[in-house]
Structures are given as structure tokens and as C-alpha cells.
Amino acid sequence: RTFTVDCDVLQADGGTRVAAITGGYVALYHCLHRMVQQGVYKVMPLKSAVAAVSVGVVQREHLLDLCYQEDFQASVDFNVVMNDRNEFIEIQGTAEGKPFSKEAVDSLLALAGKGIKELLEIQKTALAVLR
């Protein structure tokens, strides 16, 4: 079976795209949970939860979940997707002017990991009603 989780975003920044990934996981889990209940699957086919955040550097400050204005002003902009096993699925980062250091990357990835951990907990709470 193939599942396509589609979110059409007409105006977007990085935050909108990562919100679509995070919410898309919840929608997919909900669908598959129902299919397990209906006997289509014997067990839940998903191996791990998935969430995503945007992070960036705005006026030398490292920020989590950039709004449109912050995204527009960011000198460094990252979108990070991870699973609940603390593994990266995607890292997309861009310098919007001058290059950035490895230390900046490490700091931004740590900040993203912290934010994703919080989102995974929110997802777990939202999906607890299905269990």
C-alpha cells in the first residue's frame, strides 16, 4: 500500500513546511491506527514517530521555530526532521549571506533536537486518545 500525505501550502516559510510534516505524521498514524482496528493490518506498520522544526540565526541569536519575519531576516536557516529514536531524517540548511561555522551547525542541531523532542511528546499526547 502507498500512502500520500499531502499538505498544500500557498504561502509558506520553513515553519509552515515543518508543521506540515509534524501534523502529517499525526494524520498518518490516525489513519493506520484505524486500519489496525479494522483488521487491515495486524500491527501498527509505523516504526517510529516523526517531527520537524525550523531553526536559525537571527541577529546572532539562535532561534527555534522561526516565524515568517525571523525566517526572512535569518542569516542561517535550517529545517530539521527527526524521529523518536533521535535519528535525523533530513537536515536542510542555508547560509543567507556569509558562511556559518561547524559550531553554529552543532548548536542549531542541538536546539532543533530539543524542539523536536517537545513536539514528539505533544504528538504522543494527541494520539493517546486512540489507544
Side-chain angles (χ1 to χ4, degrees), residues 24-105:
Y25 167 79
V26 173
L28 179 61
Y29 185 97
H30 190 273
C31 171
L32 292 172
H33 180 267
R34 182 163 290 169
M35 293 178 84
V36 169
Q37 287 181 319
Q38 294 171 347
V40 176
Y41 293 109
K42 291 182 182 180
V43 296
M44 174 60 74
L46 293 175
K47 304 290 185 216
S48 61
V50 174
V53 295
S54 63
V55 291
V57 179
V58 179
Q59 298 176 0
R60 296 187 179 151
E61 187 176 356
H62 291 208
L63 301 177
L64 174 65
D65 191 25
L66 281 68
C67 69
Y68 177 80
Q69 189 63 30
E70 292 164 340
D71 190 58
F72 181 75
Q73 294 177 358
S75 60
V76 178
D77 182 16
F78 272 50
N79 293 324
V80 180
V81 185
M82 296 177 73
N83 64 23
D84 60 359
R85 291 181 275 183
N86 206 33
E87 297 170 323
F88 292 101
I89 296 167
E90 180 180 352
I91 303 170
Q92 179 271 319
T94 304
E96 302 291 346
K98 64 180 186 173
F100 49 88
S101 68
K102 182 184 179 316
E103 291 78 15
V105 173

